[in-house]
Amino acid sequence: MKSIAQQKFLYYILALIVISLDQYTKLLALQHLQFETPVSAMPYLNWTLLFNTGAAFSFLSSAGGWQQWLFGGLAVSVSVFIAVYIWKLPQQARLLSISLALVLGGALGNVYDRITLGYVVDFIDVYLYSCGSVVRFFPACHWPAFNVADSAITLGAILLITDTLINPSEPPLRSRGGVA
């Protein structure tokens, strides 16, 4: 049987795997793709190298540079909070811990880009052939480009919501045996 520290360590390993996979795929994108030139991977999916200086969906991308420090500082602060929170969660809160580890890895993967490059590398481009009247708010039916870190954050958020639905009245640190 694993000790509590060993189990907690596995969540941090998951975050490191996300960071490693994210940085490796971004390196491949930087080496093999040309900026803003789509490469078809399969129907509905292109590899398109883009640089995001803003937040999600390029929010504040043309703000002049100050947003890099804001988003970088915010991501580091939230990451420290999540790392401590995972450590304090009770052993039974596995789904919550996994979801937070995915968010942690994704946040740190993107903040590394912000600190070292001044922007986040995005390269996954999902689209629809014909939007018709279904999806009018995305130009040319393309979802905003994203990366592995964004995918991990999204999956972590979905698992976090799932955990909330499974345990709706259980505050994680109190009802599951943790310290408040």
Side-chain angles (χ1 to χ4, degrees):
M1 182 173 215
K2 294 179 185 167
S3 71
I4 293 174
Q6 287 173 323
Q7 183 179 343
K8 299 290 182 176
F9 185 68
L10 292 176
Y11 299 127
Y12 299 120
I13 293 292
L14 175 58
L16 285 173
I17 289 169
V18 168
I19 295 166
S20 299
L21 185 59
D22 176 62
Q23 291 301 304
Y24 178 69
T25 57
K26 288 174 180 175
L27 179 64
L28 288 176
L30 288 167
Q31 289 176 342
H32 299 288
L33 298 174
Q34 292 184 10
F35 185 69
E36 292 183 340
T37 304
V39 174
S40 180
M42 63 179 65
Y44 309 106
L45 176 67
N46 288 334
W47 306 128
T48 306
L49 181 62
L50 298 171
F51 303 140
N52 182 357
T53 57
F57 310 119
S58 297
F59 174 68
L60 291 178
S61 61
S62 60
W66 61 267
Q67 74 277 21
Q68 293 303 318
W69 296 104
L70 173 69
F71 296 137
L74 184 62
V76 169
S77 299
V78 169
S79 296
V80 168
F81 173 80
I82 290 173
V84 171
Y85 194 70
I86 289 171
W87 187 260
K88 289 186 174 191
L89 280 172
Q91 194 171 3
Q92 304 89 319
R94 287 184 183 95
L95 183 58
L96 180 57
S97 297
I98 289 169
S99 67
L100 292 173
L102 290 168
V103 171
L104 177 63
L108 290 175
N110 281 341
V111 81
Y112 180 82
D113 283 7
R114 286 190 194 288
I115 291 169
T116 60
L117 302 173
Y119 51 81
V120 173
V121 174
D122 289 328
F123 62 92
I124 303 170
D125 177 22
V126 177
Y127 63 93
L128 298 174
Y129 280 117
S130 174
C131 294
S133 61
V134 178
V135 187
R136 292 191 183 268
F137 51 91
F138 289 119
C141 303
H142 285 258
W143 185 259
F146 57 98
N147 56 45
V148 171
D150 298 332
S151 300
I153 292 169
T154 301
L155 179 58
I158 290 168
L159 292 176
L160 186 61
I161 291 167
T162 302
D163 182 70
T164 303
L165 294 173
I166 291 171
N167 304 300
S169 62
E170 294 186 26
L173 292 180
R174 290 198 178 110
S175 297
R176 297 184 193 171
V179 179

